[in-house]
Amino acid sequence: MIDIQEATQLVLSRKRDFGTEKRPLEQCSGRVLRQDIRADRDFPPFTRVTMDGIAIQWAAYEKGQRRFPVEGIQAAGSPQLRLMDAGSCLEVMTGAVLPENTDTVIRYEDLQIEEGQAQIIPEAKVKAYQNAHGQGTDRQAGDLIVASGAVLSPAEIGVAATVGLPELEVACMPKAVIVSTGDELVPVASRPEPHQIRTSNSHTIQMALSRWGVPADRLHIDDELEATKTALGNCIQNYDIILLSGGVSKGKYDYVPAALEALGAKKHFHKVKQRPGKPFWFGEVEGQCTIFALPGNPVSSFMCTQRYVRPWLRVNLGLEPMGYAHAVLAEDFHFKPDLTYFLQVKTHYDAATGRLMAQPVEGHGSGDLANLADANAFLELPRGRNDYAAGEVFPLIFYR
Amino acid sequence: MIDIQEATQLVLSRKRDFGTEKRPLEQCSGRVLRQDIRADRDFPPFTRVTMDGIAIQWAAYEKGQRRFPVEGIQAAGSPQLRLMDAGSCLEVMTGAVLPENTDTVIRYEDLQIEEGQAQIIPEAKVKAYQNAHGQGTDRQAGDLIVASGAVLSPAEIGVAATVGLPELEVACMPKAVIVSTGDELVPVASRPEPHQIRTSNSHTIQMALSRWGVPADRLHIDDELEATKTALGNCIQNYDIILLSGGVSKGKYDYVPAALEALGAKKHFHKVKQRPGKPFWFGEVEGQCTIFALPGNPVSSFMCTQRYVRPWLRVNLGLEPMGYAHAVLAEDFHFKPDLTYFLQVKTHYDAATGRLMAQPVEGHGSGDLANLADANAFLELPRGRNDYAAGEVFPLIFYR
């Protein structure tokens, strides 16, 4: 039995590469970019009018001229016009090209326009070259705007659209399958016999994965060695990652470790000094399939998914390891076994100090799924001690 | 022109009800629950074995008995067995029903089993009723587990699965359309003429909305009054919410406010004392369509989406108004106009103090889309002053 530090290190050191794929912009939210996004032209691509009004030559204004005959209108989306007479003006619209032979824009608020003549009002404050956004001042053609490795959010999607990329090269997400075991389990829509319960873990884990961008199928295997071997063999062929729930304890029908080892999966560890989640088994068919065999209790499997699967995913997408939040234990807590304890807590900000407080949420152990709905995080209490005092700070895993 | 407090109040006071719908569990992530989730039976539904081992009568152990003949095996998923002889035991598996006539489970780690006899090892620590999770100790049939109004996360989905709900009643999301205007805009995949630029705002806003669970279509309208009226009339009929980008300034071809008013939309305000986003227009066709007409500059339309549309959405889904994060301005900043300034910043935690620091990210105004990709938040600097000192704390809008 290893401790959580060693388990974490073993999980994060198993490197995989899921390849890259091109996806349309709408499907790139949260994906990891695998190409550089560069400016295909200057930004802005032309000196751009930023206020509706008139474009003039600064030199004319500087010499005292305040009244300008209007030669025409430069609309947004129209080819660039040319001011013919240095002493006249062109009306210009926001987003338009600044006309040739002009350099300064006076906004309508500072003008009176009557009978083809624009008069600048005396109160107007006019500065040279104002209200024109110079070509290439944001970025120049060829500049790197978003580097490979970025996580794509709406801001990066806007950049990609601007530089003419309707699709982006992104890291593939691993293909996952969630396998539930346990003959006591029946489907959600069925009416269980008194000794049966409905499947819930695979739904919980499926949604957690989908929030991280990982599509996952669900599968149930009966507690029978040959059936377990056949089904897991197919999963190893067809998926990058298997998340099992149940079948990893010391029970007579816990065939999962035996079946995985018979299929050539290498075990990296079985059992971790933690509660919940002690029977956690981790291994792989090298280069082909990574296997997280989690305990069947709802709180255990959920905690292990948050604490091990999520960081593994980040690292294998080439992202920085996850930074942990930290919170203040709100009341004294006692825990006897020599195990890291993942305490279910509900967090709030203390109004007086602004500190993030973690209030233990009383539950009834790792089978108490309902309790997960009352809490919002796990507080990670280190092993090697029995008493944890109110006011101490510990790592926190938010799961909402 | 109104200030941002009044604008916020006007936006949030326009109440809509988008109705409810039933959705399968996989599609409920982030949705707002519109039914109570109650326990359909006790949890656990039977006294449940929590360790693999043997089940005995505590009374026998208490009297000093340490060796128990094995009568059989109680597997998970099998109907409850009955211990025939009070002095013998049944092997029991995690997840199984605790057999009738037994009350205490001894785990395999504390046993030696040979030739049909289970011997408890001398070092074993055994407590009465251990390793059995009593029927109804978590929740009792009929108990409320998740109340209507909750935001659904994997934990609640697990609860719904457990109580036999393959579908949940949730709040409908509004149907949105994002309308871009401006004759200078061309589609992403095209090669723009020198005076044209590619559409980016509608992609940016579409992804922001999709992250909040709102499906949105995209549409472009040319700068022409009749075309604008026809297209917006159709949008009002077919969508709950219209987000326009562009066409709301003082330009000759800014037909949006006129077209909306001709179509019977009531204007609640036009222009807000803020930068970016001053020309923001907000109104509605009462009870039918809410309209956010945003400025066409990329930073302006994105900021208004984050600052006004998102809180409006939360309130209309029946959630608490958004709590704002706060951050410390990392360096002195000067801003002259009497407008609330939404400063683009990049945040980090200061290692020494643990405070969230906001570093201004130099950009070139509201047209500088690329800058959004370098920053991660807006810091909201109040109007009525020109100087903002390093160390001051202001509200923060994260947008990643």
Side-chain angles (χ1 to χ4, degrees):
Chain A
M1 186 147 57
I2 61 175
D3 64 18
I4 63 160
Q5 287 73 24
E6 194 180 340
T8 305
Q9 194 274 327
L10 281 165
V11 167
L12 297 189
S13 66
R14 308 315 305 171
K15 290 290 160 49
R16 299 282 303 278
D17 182 352
F18 307 115
T20 66
E21 60 183 346
K22 273 206 183 289
R23 305 303 296 168
L25 295 186
E26 309 86 83
Q27 294 172 26
C28 285
S29 181
R31 299 294 292 267
V32 178
L33 185 66
R34 281 282 179 268
Q35 67 175 88
D36 289 337
I37 301 181
R38 290 181 182 276
D40 67 322
R41 50 207 296 235
D42 290 342
F43 285 96
F46 46 81
T47 296
R48 191 176 161 278
V49 173
T50 66
M51 296 291 266
D52 306 306
I54 59 168
I56 60 166
Q57 285 194 6
W58 171 247
Y61 182 90
E62 206 176 18
K63 278 182 229 146
Q65 187 181 339
R66 294 295 179 268
R67 190 174 179 83
F68 296 82
V70 180
E71 286 187 4
I73 300 180
Q74 173 78 63
S78 295
Q80 188 183 34
L81 298 178
R82 178 187 165 84
L83 186 70
M84 295 305 170
D85 182 331
S88 58
C89 72
L90 281 160
E91 281 189 73
V92 289
M93 301 301 135
T94 302
V97 184
L98 187 72
E100 212 182 322
N101 259 339
T102 72
D103 53 22
T104 298
V105 173
I106 320 285
R107 57 183 192 159
Y108 280 134
E109 289 88 336
D110 291 333
L111 296 172
Q112 282 168 335
I113 303 188
E114 268 172 43
E115 293 173 4
Q117 299 283 324
Q119 173 76 40
I120 302 177
I121 61 175
E123 310 81 49
K125 286 175 191 146
V126 177
K127 286 191 288 189
Y129 319 125
Q130 71 179 14
N131 302 326
H133 191 174
Q135 176 174 342
T137 46
D138 295 346
R139 308 289 160 120
Q140 303 206 324
D143 278 359
L144 179 65
I145 310 185
V146 185
S148 179
V151 178
L152 295 168
S153 79
E156 287 78 22
I157 294 310
V159 170
T162 301
V163 304
L165 297 170
E167 295 186 323
L168 290 172
E169 190 83 19
V170 295
C172 290
M173 300 306 281
K175 258 180 83 184
V177 62
I178 302 157
V179 179
S180 55
T181 68
D183 283 348
E184 73 276 28
L185 298 181
V186 296
V188 173
S190 65
R191 175 180 287 276
E193 298 292 322
H195 52 277
Q196 297 176 326
I197 58 173
R198 298 189 186 89
T199 302
S200 66
N201 289 355
S202 49
H203 293 275
T204 305
I205 298 172
Q206 185 182 37
M207 184 172 288
L209 291 178
S210 96
R211 290 180 164 214
W212 304 329
V214 177
D217 293 328
R218 282 184 282 118
L219 179 73
H220 182 80
I221 305 181
D222 288 331
D223 288 337
E224 200 276 304
L225 181 58
E226 282 311 310
T228 302
K229 274 179 19 188
T230 306
L232 289 181
N234 288 336
C235 288
I236 288 169
Q237 293 304 315
N238 295 315
Y239 293 95
D240 297 307
I241 162 175
I242 305 176
L243 283 97
L244 282 129
S245 112
V248 291
S249 297
K250 285 194 167 289
K252 279 242 150 56
Y253 312 112
D254 288 347
Y255 294 123
V256 165
L260 288 171
E261 284 164 49
L263 290 164
K266 180 169 159 40
K267 175 181 83 177
H268 293 304
F269 60 77
H270 186 188
K271 295 194 178 164
V272 180
K273 290 179 187 165
Q274 62 183 10
R275 179 176 295 173
K278 195 165 78 173
F280 174 23
W281 185 106
F282 174 73
E284 68 185 328
V285 177
E286 200 141 346
Q288 187 175 7
C289 191
T290 305
I291 303 154
F292 295 85
L294 312 174
N297 272 318
V299 181
S300 311
S301 65
F302 186 60
M303 188 285 289
C304 288
T305 303
Q306 300 283 345
R307 179 61 177 74
Y308 297 98
V309 180
R310 190 178 189 189
W312 173 86
L313 177 69
R314 276 188 67 89
V315 164
N316 281 285
L317 290 172
L319 300 175
E320 289 293 302
M322 242 161 57
Y324 278 94
H326 284 77
V328 180
L329 182 61
E331 59 184 46
D332 290 347
F333 190 79
H334 181 82
F335 178 71
K336 199 160 174 212
D338 185 25
L339 303 170
T340 299
Y341 187 62
F342 290 91
L343 176 66
Q344 290 176 69
V345 295
K346 189 162 184 151
T347 61
H348 68 276
Y349 281 95
D350 180 65
T353 63
R355 295 189 309 172
L356 184 62
M357 306 301 292
Q359 183 70 40
V361 177
E362 204 188 348
H364 298 95
S366 57
D368 190 357
L369 172 64
N371 205 55
L372 278 181
D374 292 335
N376 71 336
F378 293 104
L379 196 68
E380 186 176 310
L381 306 180
R383 57 186 272 270
R385 50 193 280 202
N386 301 324
D387 291 296
Y388 306 88
E392 284 192 86
V393 176
F394 299 104
L396 185 84
I397 304 168
F398 277 117
Y399 60 75
R400 284 185 189 277
Chain B
M1 188 144 58
I2 61 175
D3 64 19
I4 63 159
Q5 286 74 23
E6 194 181 341
T8 304
Q9 195 273 325
L10 281 166
V11 167
L12 297 188
S13 66
R14 308 317 304 173
K15 290 290 161 47
R16 298 281 305 277
D17 182 352
F18 307 115
T20 66
E21 61 183 344
K22 274 208 183 287
R23 305 303 298 170
L25 295 186
E26 309 85 82
Q27 294 173 25
C28 284
S29 181
R31 300 294 291 267
V32 178
L33 185 64
R34 282 280 180 269
Q35 67 174 90
D36 288 338
I37 301 181
R38 291 181 180 277
D40 67 322
R41 49 206 297 233
D42 290 342
F43 285 95
F46 46 80
T47 297
R48 189 175 163 279
V49 172
T50 65
M51 295 291 266
D52 306 306
I54 59 168
I56 60 165
Q57 285 194 6
W58 170 247
Y61 181 90
E62 207 176 17
K63 278 180 230 146
Q65 186 180 338
R66 294 294 180 270
R67 191 172 178 83
F68 296 81
V70 180
E71 286 187 2
I73 300 180
Q74 173 77 63
S78 294
Q80 187 183 34
L81 298 179
R82 178 187 165 84
L83 186 71
M84 295 305 170
D85 183 333
S88 58
C89 72
L90 281 160
E91 282 190 72
V92 290
M93 301 301 134
T94 302
V97 185
L98 186 72
E100 212 182 320
N101 260 339
T102 70
D103 53 22
T104 299
V105 173
I106 320 285
R107 55 182 195 162
Y108 280 134
E109 290 86 337
D110 291 334
L111 298 171
Q112 282 168 336
I113 302 187
E114 269 172 43
E115 293 173 5
Q117 299 282 324
Q119 173 75 42
I120 302 178
I121 61 175
E123 310 81 50
K125 285 175 192 146
V126 177
K127 285 189 291 188
Y129 320 125
Q130 71 180 14
N131 302 326
H133 190 174
Q135 176 175 341
T137 47
D138 294 347
R139 307 289 160 122
Q140 303 207 321
D143 278 359
L144 179 65
I145 311 185
V146 185
S148 179
V151 177
L152 295 168
S153 79
E156 287 77 23
I157 294 309
V159 170
T162 301
V163 304
L165 297 170
E167 296 185 322
L168 290 173
E169 189 84 18
V170 295
C172 290
M173 301 306 281
K175 257 181 82 185
V177 61
I178 302 157
V179 179
S180 55
T181 69
D183 284 349
E184 73 275 28
L185 298 180
V186 296
V188 173
S190 64
R191 175 180 286 275
E193 297 294 319
H195 52 279
Q196 297 175 324
I197 58 173
R198 298 189 187 90
T199 301
S200 66
N201 288 355
S202 50
H203 294 274
T204 306
I205 297 172
Q206 185 181 38
M207 182 172 290
L209 291 179
S210 98
R211 290 179 164 216
W212 304 330
V214 177
D217 294 328
R218 281 183 283 118
L219 179 73
H220 182 80
I221 305 180
D222 288 331
D223 289 337
E224 199 275 305
L225 180 59
E226 282 311 310
T228 302
K229 274 179 17 188
T230 306
L232 289 180
N234 289 335
C235 289
I236 288 169
Q237 294 304 315
N238 295 317
Y239 294 94
D240 297 308
I241 164 175
I242 304 175
L243 282 97
L244 281 130
S245 112
V248 291
S249 297
K250 286 194 167 289
K252 279 242 152 57
Y253 312 111
D254 288 347
Y255 294 123
V256 165
L260 287 171
E261 284 163 48
L263 290 163
K266 180 169 158 40
K267 175 181 84 176
H268 292 306
F269 59 78
H270 187 188
K271 297 197 177 164
V272 180
K273 290 179 188 164
Q274 63 184 8
R275 180 175 295 172
K278 195 165 78 172
F280 175 23
W281 186 105
F282 174 73
E284 69 186 325
V285 176
E286 201 142 343
Q288 187 175 8
C289 190
T290 305
I291 303 153
F292 294 84
L294 312 173
N297 273 318
V299 181
S300 310
S301 64
F302 186 60
M303 188 285 289
C304 288
T305 303
Q306 300 283 345
R307 179 62 177 73
Y308 297 98
V309 180
R310 189 176 190 190
W312 172 86
L313 178 68
R314 275 188 68 89
V315 164
N316 281 284
L317 291 172
L319 301 174
E320 289 294 303
M322 244 162 56
Y324 278 94
H326 285 78
V328 179
L329 182 62
E331 59 185 45
D332 289 347
F333 190 79
H334 181 82
F335 178 70
K336 201 161 172 212
D338 184 24
L339 303 170
T340 299
Y341 187 62
F342 290 92
L343 176 66
Q344 291 177 68
V345 296
K346 189 160 187 155
T347 62
H348 68 278
Y349 280 95
D350 180 65
T353 63
R355 294 189 310 171
L356 183 62
M357 307 301 292
Q359 183 69 42
V361 177
E362 204 187 349
H364 298 94
S366 57
D368 189 356
L369 173 64
N371 205 55
L372 278 181
D374 292 335
N376 71 336
F378 293 103
L379 196 66
E380 185 176 311
L381 306 180
R383 57 187 271 270
R385 50 193 281 202
N386 300 325
D387 291 296
Y388 305 89
E392 284 192 86
V393 176
F394 299 104
L396 186 84
I397 304 168
F398 277 117
Y399 61 74
R400 285 185 188 276

